[in-house]
Amino acid sequence: MNPLPTPDPVVGPDPVVGPDPDVVLAGVDARLAAHDAEQAELFPGPPTGRQPVHTLYLPADRVHAGIVSEVGAVALAAFDEHLPDPAALQRVFRAAQVSGDSGGGDLVAPADAPAIHALVRAKLEVEPVEDLRIDFEDGFTQRDVPPGRRDHDEDGHVDRVLAEVITRWSGRSSSPPFWGVRFGSLDPATRRRGVLTFTRVVAGLAAAPDRDALLAGFRPTLPKVTSVDQVRAMVGICRDLEAACSLPERALRFEIQIETPQSICAPDGSALVARLIHAADGRCIGVHYGTYDYSAACGIAAEYQAMDHPAADHAKAVMQVAAAGTGVALSDGSTNRLPVGDAEAVRAGWRLHARLIDRSLRRGFYQGWDLHPAQLVSRYVATYAFYRRSVPAACARIAAYLGTGPDAGYLDEPATARALADFCVRALDCGAVTADEITTRAGVDRADLAALTRPGTDHEESR
């Protein structure tokens, strides 16, 4: 074939001489400098570090040195009794998904049942609790304690829990990666006791020989927040305690529990939860939805109070938008339908719990609250099934994006690639998949995934 003829060069008009683009850019940078700094401070990016898949909430009077091993043993016994093999696991959780809501199909695919069975059982043996919340608030009822003795009783439980945590958890693999306390709210009726308990806990931790390790996983929860002023007051408490206890600056951070309609919608109609997050001055770790207090405050009848009620979905959608880009993690609430009783009651409780967990995960809430040791079974089955169902496709898309694998049928952009990498890191963190599975499927290791989750990486620039 004859080569195509080379076209004659086109001679155009003389180039237009305009302003120097560098000068224009310098002017734009100057005008936006304050805005850029403000945005960087308000929206530093997604949360960094590991996020637990759940928070196990236990009343303080039930917590003791061996509580993690104890709840793990209860969960493992329930697992072995009702899910003795992969076939039983697949059978029990077959109907957990609801067609049209969660996408249809079985929660646990038959092909994945053996891996999920083995991984969940190992999780319950090695790390049954990822985050423990020791409750000095609603769950700490003190029903049998006379009113005049309740301060003394609560102080005693604080000191006992601290002594056992410090002596038994410091540097031990049996301790949960994350833990904290929920204390009385800053409402007038509970403020005094809440501040006393939180102060006593922090003072005890500050005096511990291994205080830095204990504080690294410490997550106190501020409940029933109704105003920006309460969050600002909590920031002040943290600052005062850091100074008084010779703790490093910002050693104390906290979660905000969204349990009141006022925390979602302010009197002027604005989304108050966004202002709560920013009022925390960078100390807010997460915002946690409180299913039952919020539902009750909205006037929902007890029988219909649930994580999937439309009122709950609205509140969580507002939370999700408010937290996006702030570095603050999200957590869904709990279900009080417990897997207890006869065999069918246990399995029905697991199926409901698993369906709600899967629903939350699909909506971007990667953490939720558990109220009973047996709920750890459905927590990990549903979580592991969620990740294992999607990891193969996520890895294929990452490999295609990075050029380490064939075309996956998607035209992914950097933001989606970051989401895919974050998904795989979460799956690794909770034990749903192994590092070898990720490397085999995606051609990358954990360090590569971690780099890909950060905006402005070499992977993005190369594209």
Side-chain angles (χ1 to χ4, degrees):
M1 295 178 63
N2 295 325
L4 295 173
T6 302
D8 294 333
V10 178
V11 178
D14 293 336
V16 177
V17 177
D20 185 342
D22 290 337
V23 174
V24 175
L25 177 60
V28 174
D29 284 341
R31 293 184 188 98
L32 293 179
H35 168 270
D36 292 344
E38 180 184 49
Q39 291 296 298
E41 181 180 359
L42 295 177
F43 300 101
T48 58
R50 177 182 177 183
Q51 180 182 1
V53 302
H54 78 132
T55 298
L56 177 63
Y57 151 101
L58 292 175
D61 52 350
R62 287 185 53 199
V63 175
H64 55 84
I67 190 63
V68 173
S69 298
E70 180 182 296
V71 300
V74 172
L76 192 59
F79 181 91
D80 287 341
E81 178 181 355
H82 298 283
L83 308 173
D85 52 48
L89 184 145
Q90 204 275 329
R91 192 165 55 248
V92 167
F93 288 96
R94 179 177 296 156
Q97 283 196 34
V98 177
S99 180
D101 180 64
S102 301
D106 294 345
L107 181 84
V108 178
D112 249 345
I116 292 174
H117 188 274
L119 289 167
V120 171
R121 196 179 193 288
K123 180 74 168 181
L124 294 175
E125 286 185 314
V126 176
E127 190 184 67
V129 179
E130 291 194 359
D131 184 21
L132 176 66
R133 198 62 71 254
I134 303 167
D135 191 38
F136 286 95
E137 204 229 357
D138 285 352
F140 185 63
T141 61
Q142 296 181 294
R143 287 192 184 97
D144 299 327
V145 180
R149 295 281 299 169
R150 288 181 179 172
D151 270 354
H152 178 76
D153 176 74
E154 185 160 341
D155 286 343
H157 282 295
V158 170
D159 294 344
R160 177 188 58 79
V161 167
L162 276 172
E164 296 190 351
V165 165
I166 291 168
T167 57
R168 292 287 297 271
W169 285 3
S170 295
R172 300 198 181 195
S173 59
S174 59
S175 63
F178 306 99
W179 72 285
V181 296
R182 185 172 74 164
F183 48 93
S185 77
L186 296 184
D187 284 345
T190 54
R191 182 183 304 156
R192 172 186 164 277
R193 184 62 251 182
V195 171
L196 287 175
T197 293
F198 183 59
T199 300
R200 201 176 187 95
V201 168
V202 172
L205 290 177
D210 200 17
R211 75 173 193 183
D212 292 341
L214 289 166
L215 285 169
F218 182 56
R219 294 172 169 236
T221 303
L222 178 64
K224 296 182 177 58
V225 176
T226 57
S227 70
V228 169
D229 287 339
Q230 289 182 338
V231 173
R232 289 175 179 153
M234 183 64 184
V235 171
I237 293 169
C238 291
R239 288 174 178 159
D240 291 346
L241 289 176
E242 287 166 354
C245 298
S246 300
L247 294 174
E249 186 178 354
R250 295 187 179 275
L252 299 176
R253 303 175 71 197
F254 57 90
E255 301 164 343
I256 298 173
Q257 195 157 24
I258 304 300
E259 300 179 273
T260 66
Q262 298 98 309
S263 61
I264 292 294
C265 184
D268 63 1
S270 64
L272 187 69
V273 62
R275 292 161 55 195
L276 299 179
I277 290 171
H278 294 294
D281 191 30
R283 291 180 184 264
C284 181
I285 304 168
V287 285
H288 291 224
Y289 178 67
T291 306
Y292 298 99
D293 281 282
Y294 189 91
S295 299
C298 287
I300 298 165
E303 184 177 355
Y304 302 102
Q305 294 174 6
M307 292 162 58
D308 58 353
H309 190 281
D313 284 344
H314 169 262
K316 288 181 285 188
V318 177
M319 289 167 57
Q320 190 169 39
V321 173
T326 64
V328 173
L330 296 166
S331 177
D332 209 334
S334 59
T335 177
N336 59 9
R337 292 283 298 275
L338 303 180
V340 296
D342 61 28
E344 186 46 45
V346 171
R347 294 165 188 166
W350 277 344
R351 283 191 289 267
L352 172 64
H353 191 219
R355 179 183 68 78
L356 293 170
I357 292 167
D358 184 73
R359 187 177 188 273
S360 297
L361 289 167
R362 289 172 181 264
R363 284 158 172 75
F365 279 72
Y366 297 104
Q367 182 178 354
W369 279 47
D370 296 326
L371 309 179
H372 189 278
Q375 286 185 323
L376 301 179
V377 174
S378 39
R379 171 66 60 183
Y380 293 123
V381 168
T383 301
Y384 285 17
F386 168 77
Y387 284 114
R388 295 192 67 84
R389 202 162 49 237
S390 300
V391 155
C395 287
R397 291 170 68 175
I398 289 171
Y401 178 81
L402 297 177
T404 60
D407 189 342
Y410 291 86
L411 185 61
D412 287 322
E413 296 184 350
T416 304
R418 289 197 298 270
L420 291 166
D422 179 72
F423 179 90
C424 291
V425 169
R426 289 178 183 276
L428 284 168
D429 281 344
C430 71
V433 298
T434 66
D436 287 344
E437 287 179 296
I438 295 293
T439 301
T440 299
R441 293 181 182 277
V444 296
D445 59 18
R446 185 191 176 89
D448 294 323
L449 291 173
L452 190 56
T453 63
R454 296 190 291 271
T457 62
D458 292 340
H459 295 309
E460 288 186 11
E461 292 168 2
S462 68
R463 297 176 66 84

